[in-house]
Amino acid sequence: MRDKIIEIILDQDGGFISGEELSKYIGISRAAIWKHIKILKEEGYNIESVNKKGYRLIEIPKDLLTYKNINHKLNAKIIGNKIIHFETIGSTNDYAKEIASNEDEGTIIISEEQTNGRGRLGRQWYSKSYDGIWMSVILKPNIMPYEAPFITLIAGASIAKALKNLGVETLIKWPNDVILNDKKISGILTELSAEIERVNYIVLGIGINVKTMEFSQEISDIATSLYKENYKISRVDIVKNILEEFEKLYFKYVNENSKEETLDICRKYSAIIGKEIYLLKNKSKELVKCLDINKDGNLIVEKKNKTIQEIVSGEVSIRGVEGYV
Ligand code: BT5
C-alpha cells in the first residue's frame, strides 16, 4: 500500500497531489492515507503536506537504495523487478547465494552497509554505511559454466557505460575493476553455482565507491570515490543506469549469443590495452605487453620473449608498471 502511495507521489516529479486524489487512486480513506504518509516520513521520505494542496516530495533524502526509489521509471524487463534492501548485512553476495535457488532471475540484493564485504580470493571489500553501492544480482543464464566469467565483462562494460551516461569517464581494468583517475572506484565479484554442463545460478556482486571521502590506510593509495573526484551523483541514478545498461548487454549475450557490444566497450574503455603491465600469479610477477581482449573476452598479452599468450580471467591479478593501473 505504502509502495503505491510513494510511487504516485514520485510520479508527480515534485508537484502536489491532493489527499482526495490519492485516496481515490488507492481506494482508502484520506485519514488512512495520512497515516501512511506519517510512516513514509519516518522512513526518511521528505514529504511536505500543505493545506488544500496536498502532498509533495521535496527531495529523496539520503538517496536511499530502496525498491521504491530504484524501480521508479526503471527501464528494464527483469533486472530489478524485485529488490531486497538492507540497512546492514554481512555480504550481499552471501545472502544472494542463500536465496538464489528460490528467486527469479533479476532479483537484486542491495545494502547500505556490508560488515563482511568480499573481494576475489577471500580478499576484503570495504563497504561503509551510505558511502557506496553494494549490490548483488541473481542471474540464471542458459550458458555453460566455463562461460560465466563473461558476465564480469558485461558488468564492467555496463558500469563504465552507465557512468559515462552520467558524465563520468572511467576505464575498465580487465577483468573486474573500474578505474577513475588511475584509482579503483568499483570492483566486481562474479560467483557461480553449477553442475558440469549447467549453470544453476550466478551471483553478480558489484561494489562502487560513491560518497567515501576517507579510505582506510590499506587502500588509500589505490581507491577513490565519485565524490572524492568531485562527481556528486545520486546513488539511485547510478544503480538505475547500471541495471538498464546491464540488461541490454546481458540480453544480447544470452538471447542473441552476441558478445560484440560488450567487447567493444571493454576495448574502448580499457585501462590496459597497449600498455605494459605486471601479471601477478601466486607469487610470481611477469612484465608483459597487453595487446587486446579477444572474442571470448580473454586478455591477449605479449611476453618478453615475444610469444603471445591468452590469459583467462580469474587466473591472474594485474598491476600497472608505475602504480595500480
Ligand atoms: C573486487 O575484488 O574488486 C570485487 C569487489 C566486489 C564487491 C561487491 S560489493 C557487493 C558484493 N558483495 C560482496 O561481498 N562483494 C560484492 P578484488 O579484485 O579481489 O579486489 C579486492 C581488493 O580491492 C582488496 O584486496 C583491496 O585492496 C581493494 N579494496 C577493498 N575495498 C575497496 C574499496 N571499497 N574500494 C576500492 N578498493 C577496495
Side-chain angles (χ1 to χ4, degrees), residues 164-205:
K164 169 90 175 140
N165 296 343
L166 296 165
V168 189
E169 301 262 352
T170 56
L171 294 174
I172 303 169
K173 178 165 162 271
W174 183 94
N176 74 312
D177 287 0
V178 180
I179 305 293
L180 177 58
N181 296 340
D182 295 332
K183 290 183 172 175
K184 179 162 173 169
I185 57 152
S186 172
I188 301 158
L189 174 66
T190 304
E191 297 188 279
L192 170 71
S193 159
E195 289 155 33
I196 290 173
E197 301 221 330
R198 199 178 80 105
V199 168
N200 297 325
Y201 60 79
I202 289 173
V203 168
L204 167 66

Side-chain angles (χ1 to χ4, degrees), residues 90-94 109 114 116-128 133-136 176-177 183-191 203-209 212 215 218-219 222-224 317 319 324:
S91 151
T92 56
N93 263 39
D94 289 347
I109 323 301
Q114 292 185 120
N116 189 26
R118 293 186 297 105
R120 297 179 303 160
L121 306 168
R123 292 191 279 250
Q124 183 185 1
W125 182 261
Y126 293 92
S127 332
K128 280 216 313 246
I133 294 162
W134 329 121
M135 70 172 172
S136 302
N176 74 312
D177 287 0
K183 290 183 172 175
K184 179 162 173 169
I185 57 152
S186 172
I188 301 158
L189 174 66
T190 304
E191 297 188 279
V203 168
L204 167 66
I206 294 177
I208 304 178
N209 303 319
T212 323
F215 287 94
E218 197 197 326
I219 57 167
I222 60 160
T224 194
S317 288
R319 286 292 172 277
Y324 188 62

